[in-house]
Every structure is written in structure tokens, then in C-alpha cells.
């Protein structure tokens, strides 16, 4: 299989490297942040459009191409499914992964007999973290609104 080695222009590289989701930009590739990969897969699995997710991060198809988005999502999804299978088949690893908070430790006590159980646990933690972020953003917005009203 041959791969296209179309290079990014220096202007495109400068634009890409400024994005939070991008770690590195060799001339014909983009290295993405691990959090971005995971967030894209989770949100796409929840029904959001991969193109929308990339565009939201400043990586729209007009900049990087639609095929690159499709290939990234496919590659990331396969990699994460393999990781989930590895964790599910190794109970000693399951309980040592991402168990930083008391809430996470409670989730870890679930008897994981199936990859689906593991996915449900991970999605539950992800939803809870998103809810905490929403609550924090609401608080920040309320504080900013109150500050603006006082001025």
C-alpha cells in the first residue's frame, strides 16, 4: 500500500502547531495529543460527527483533509478497542488504571466480566468528568456575569 506524502506548507505547519490538540507536525504528518484522540473516539461513539470534533479543535477538513480525519478515527478506535481488551483480560491491570479519585475507586469495584462492562465503567467516569467540567464552567460564567454587572 502506498501512502501519499503530501507535505504541509510552512504556514499550515505554523497554524497546526499552535493548536492544543496537536503535539508535533512533521512535514507530512500530524501527531495528536493523547487526550484529543480519546475524546474524539468517545464523543464519536456517542454520536457526534468526527468532522465536527476535528473542526472544533481547529483541524477542519479544509485544512487537513476529510480522508485524514476518517483514517485517524479508524486507527484510534481500533487502538483503543485493543487496549480495552488487554485491560479486560488482565484483572490486575484493570484495577490500576485511572483510579485516582474515590469515585474512580468505587467504579473499579464493579465486577468486570465483559469488555462491555469495562466500556460502561469508562464512559460513566467520562460522563462524570464532563459534568464536573460543565459545573465549573457554569460557576465561572456566573462569576464573570456578576463581575460584569458590578462594573
Amino acid at each position: 500500500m502506498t501512502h501519499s506524502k503530501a507535505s504541509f506548507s510552512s504556514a499550515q505547519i505554523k497554524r497546526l502547531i499552535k493548536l492544543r490538540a496537536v503535539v508535533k507536525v512533521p512535514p507530512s504528518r500530524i501527531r495528536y495529543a493523547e487526550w484529543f484522540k480519546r475524546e474524539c473516539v468517545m464523543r464519536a461513539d456517542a454520536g457526534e460527527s468526527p468532522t465536527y470534533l476535528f473542526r472544533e479543535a481547529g483541524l477542519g477538513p479544509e485544512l487537513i483533509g476529510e480522508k485524514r480525519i476518517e483514517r485517524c478515527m479508524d486507527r484510534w478506535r481500533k487502538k483503543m478497542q485493543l487496549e480495552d481488551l488487554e485491560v479486560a483480560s488482565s484483572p490486575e491491570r484493570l484495577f490500576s488504571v485511572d483510579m485516582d479519585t474515590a469515585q474512580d475507586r468505587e467504579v473499579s469495584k464493579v465486577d468486570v466480566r465483559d469488555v462491555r462492562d469495562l466500556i460502561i465503567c469508562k464512559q460513566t467516569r467520562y460522563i462524570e468528568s464532563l459534568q464536573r467540567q460543565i459545573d465549573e464552567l457554569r460557576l465561572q460564567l456566573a462569576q464573570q456575569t456578576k463581575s460584569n454587572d458590578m462594573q
Side-chain angles (χ1 to χ4, degrees):
M1 180 193 305
T2 60
H3 295 282
S4 170
K5 291 291 180 182
S7 296
F8 292 108
S9 70
S10 60
Q12 288 172 317
I13 291 173
K14 286 178 185 175
R15 182 175 169 195
L16 288 166
I17 202 66
K18 290 179 183 177
L19 300 173
R20 227 179 100 223
V22 175
V23 174
K24 186 176 178 182
V25 185
S28 61
R29 294 192 61 168
I30 302 173
R31 303 242 186 232
Y32 301 94
E34 204 58 40
W35 67 266
F36 177 69
K37 296 176 190 181
R38 293 192 177 284
E39 185 172 319
C40 281
V41 171
M42 287 181 167
R43 289 176 62 185
D45 287 350
E48 291 188 62
S49 159
T51 301
Y52 172 79
L53 299 172
F54 273 72
R55 187 171 276 129
E56 185 179 62
L59 296 158
E62 56 282 343
L63 176 62
I64 66 171
E66 189 67 41
K67 269 296 185 204
R68 189 180 302 263
I69 294 170
E70 292 173 19
R71 288 182 182 134
C72 285
M73 290 300 298
D74 185 52
R75 186 173 59 250
W76 298 344
R77 189 173 281 117
K78 285 177 183 174
K79 180 182 179 220
M80 287 176 201
Q81 286 172 347
L82 283 174
E83 289 171 358
D84 287 346
L85 286 173
E86 287 173 6
V87 169
S89 65
S90 176
E92 65 277 0
R93 283 187 59 203
L94 171 65
F95 299 115
S96 67
V97 176
D98 297 334
M99 301 301 165
D100 295 332
T101 66
Q103 194 172 24
D104 287 339
R105 284 189 292 277
E106 287 303 311
V107 171
S108 75
K109 293 178 184 175
V110 173
D111 184 15
V112 178
R113 299 169 196 245
D114 191 331
V115 173
R116 292 172 289 196
D117 294 333
L118 177 64
I119 292 169
I120 290 168
C121 288
K122 284 185 172 189
Q123 288 179 337
T124 300
R125 284 197 308 259
Y126 181 67
I127 290 168
E128 289 167 351
S129 75
L130 289 175
Q131 188 60 53
R132 284 190 298 271
Q133 289 176 10
I134 289 169
D135 293 342
E136 289 172 16
L137 290 171
R138 284 184 176 147
L139 181 61
Q140 288 175 6
L141 182 61
Q143 290 172 345
Q144 286 177 350
T145 302
K146 186 177 180 180
S147 173
N148 289 342
D149 289 344
M150 295 178 109
Q151 293 176 358

